[in-house]
Amino acid sequence: MRVTTEWFPIVLGTMVLSLTSWIDYTVFNVSVAYDIGKGIYFVALALLFVLLLLWLSGYSDPKNLKEDLSSVQRISFTAFLAVLMFVSGFFYTVYISSSPTSITWLSYLFFLGFSLALVVNVITWVKIYLSEGVTLGYGLLVPSIALSADVVLGAPILPPFSYVLKDVTLIYAVMLFSLGITTLQFVFLGSASLMSHIQGNRAFPTVMIPLGAASIIGINVLSFPAYNYLGFVDVPTKVAIGIGISLFGFEVWNLVLGFIIALRRVRDPPSLMSWAYVFPVGISMFSAFMLYQETGFPFFSWFIAALNLGVVGLYSFSVMNTVRFVRRGLKSSQRR
């Protein structure tokens, strides 16, 4: 059994546990949650290192490389590496250092992650347009979400450290650039994926992926007023909050829909697909966290508390499901 890009959401899911702890520390003043989140962050980094080695070692056989390049899903899931760069950089500023020196290095990581996400996005869409063995599905939105996930790292490295960066306006422009791509690809590909599901071309859609797209768009919009001091684009705070709350409505709707479908699929054969639910729920929590910071509405704190249970439940189920999947795969390998 070989490790492919479908395994990277396991690391993202573990990062979500760290995010959950950090939000609990920030919103509910649970001091121990900070240390727990920091520990989980280092576990996630170690897990990423191991999976990267196993993934790359699989290419010692050229047939595996050819197989992955012919799979549009595996190509699109490579964009998870870009998301991991952004998320890892964000947590570096939270748990380790946010000094001017580290911010400079993190700005390089920002551009590296953006470049990777953009390249994977273009390759994925070339295959979509050429219809090279493509089955439309929400999983193809991963490169789009990865592009706009640059805000996760872009937000903490701009204010208050803009003075140490020479390309502040460029970073902001890249975030706007990414948001436009994500929004329109979400509309076009999301609609096509839904129609593909209705017409019976797929077993069922990974409905949490649209949740991830809506959440990341909301996070971008809510972040933009903080950059008005650049004099580049002026985004009124109240307008951003209004758009953010509107997108939050879709998030809540999609969460309910996704959890219902997840419960109906709980007895399906073990696979890695359940991890596709963890990360979108986590960024939905981050979106609610930002709305709570901006508005102070108690509802958003209640929502965060409810998602705590959702994230822990989904993560626990995904771990058990992965163990079953690995055991099943090892048994199949032994029979051969």
Side-chain angles (χ1 to χ4, degrees):
M1 184 174 58
R2 185 166 64 91
V3 171
T4 60
T5 53
E6 286 96 338
W7 290 72
F8 292 140
I10 298 177
V11 184
L12 278 174
T14 307
M15 289 286 189
V16 165
L17 280 186
S18 180
L19 175 66
T20 301
S21 297
W22 177 73
I23 290 178
D24 286 346
Y25 163 74
T26 307
V27 174
F28 304 114
N29 297 315
V30 182
S31 56
V32 69
Y34 180 88
D35 294 324
I36 293 174
K38 186 175 183 179
I40 295 173
Y41 170 57
F42 286 116
V43 170
L45 289 179
L47 184 59
L48 173 61
F49 179 74
V50 170
L51 289 180
L52 271 176
L53 285 180
L54 292 174
W55 174 55
L56 293 173
S57 65
Y59 292 136
S60 57
D61 185 347
K63 292 181 180 178
N64 292 334
L65 178 60
K66 185 178 181 180
E67 177 186 337
D68 287 358
L69 290 176
S70 64
S71 170
V72 69
Q73 176 170 301
R74 288 182 180 174
I75 290 174
S76 68
F77 277 21
T78 306
F80 277 125
L81 285 174
V83 181
L84 285 167
M85 290 181 192
F86 300 138
V87 174
S88 298
F90 167 76
F91 280 127
Y92 187 90
T93 65
V94 170
Y95 294 128
I96 301 176
S97 172
S98 56
S99 66
T101 301
S102 62
I103 291 298
T104 300
W105 283 103
L106 288 174
S107 69
Y108 302 150
L109 184 65
F110 172 90
F111 286 114
L112 178 61
F114 166 75
S115 300
L116 174 61
L118 183 61
V119 169
V120 174
N121 186 290
V122 170
I123 294 173
T124 300
W125 277 78
V126 166
K127 285 187 169 292
I128 291 173
Y129 278 116
L130 295 178
S131 299
E132 295 183 355
V134 175
T135 299
L136 289 179
Y138 288 126
L140 299 182
L141 280 170
V142 170
S144 306
I145 297 173
L147 270 176
S148 280
D150 58 6
V151 69
V152 175
L153 182 54
I157 68 174
L158 287 179
F161 292 101
S162 302
Y163 68 93
V164 303
L165 300 175
K166 298 179 181 179
D167 42 17
V168 175
T169 303
L170 176 59
I171 291 175
Y172 185 31
V174 165
M175 292 162 62
L176 290 167
F177 176 86
S178 302
L179 178 62
I181 295 174
T182 296
T183 302
L184 292 176
Q185 288 183 346
F186 176 37
V187 172
F188 295 136
L189 184 55
S191 301
S193 298
L194 178 60
M195 290 303 298
S196 177
H197 165 64
I198 292 173
Q199 293 169 1
N201 294 332
R202 302 182 69 243
F204 68 98
T206 309
V207 293
M208 287 301 187
I209 299 296
L211 168 68
S215 299
I216 208 70
I217 291 171
I219 290 170
N220 271 271
V221 173
L222 289 168
S223 299
F224 287 154
Y227 315 132
N228 288 343
Y229 72 96
L230 293 173
F232 186 56
V233 177
D234 186 23
V235 181
T237 301
K238 291 184 177 179
V239 172
I241 293 173
I243 296 173
I245 293 176
S246 298
L247 289 170
F248 182 76
F250 177 80
E251 293 179 39
V252 174
W253 175 85
N254 216 110
L255 272 169
V256 173
L257 183 66
F259 275 121
I260 290 173
I261 292 177
L263 289 173
R264 290 175 63 90
R265 298 285 177 175
V266 73
R267 296 185 181 278
D268 282 4
S271 71
L272 298 176
M273 186 173 291
S274 59
W275 288 103
Y277 286 80
V278 183
F279 178 65
V281 174
I283 57 176
S284 178
M285 182 189 295
F286 193 76
S287 173
F289 166 70
M290 293 185 68
L291 285 169
Y292 177 71
Q293 283 192 314
E294 293 291 341
T295 66
F297 289 168
F299 169 78
F300 293 117
S301 65
W302 303 337
F303 185 79
I304 290 170
L307 284 191
N308 266 278
L309 300 176
V311 167
V312 172
L314 285 169
Y315 188 88
S316 301
F317 174 77
S318 297
V319 169
M320 292 186 293
N321 212 28
T322 301
V323 171
R324 292 167 55 207
F325 174 75
V326 171
R327 286 178 177 173
R328 189 174 180 178
L330 291 175
K331 287 182 180 178
S332 299
S333 300
Q334 290 172 356
R335 289 170 187 169
R336 294 175 187 174

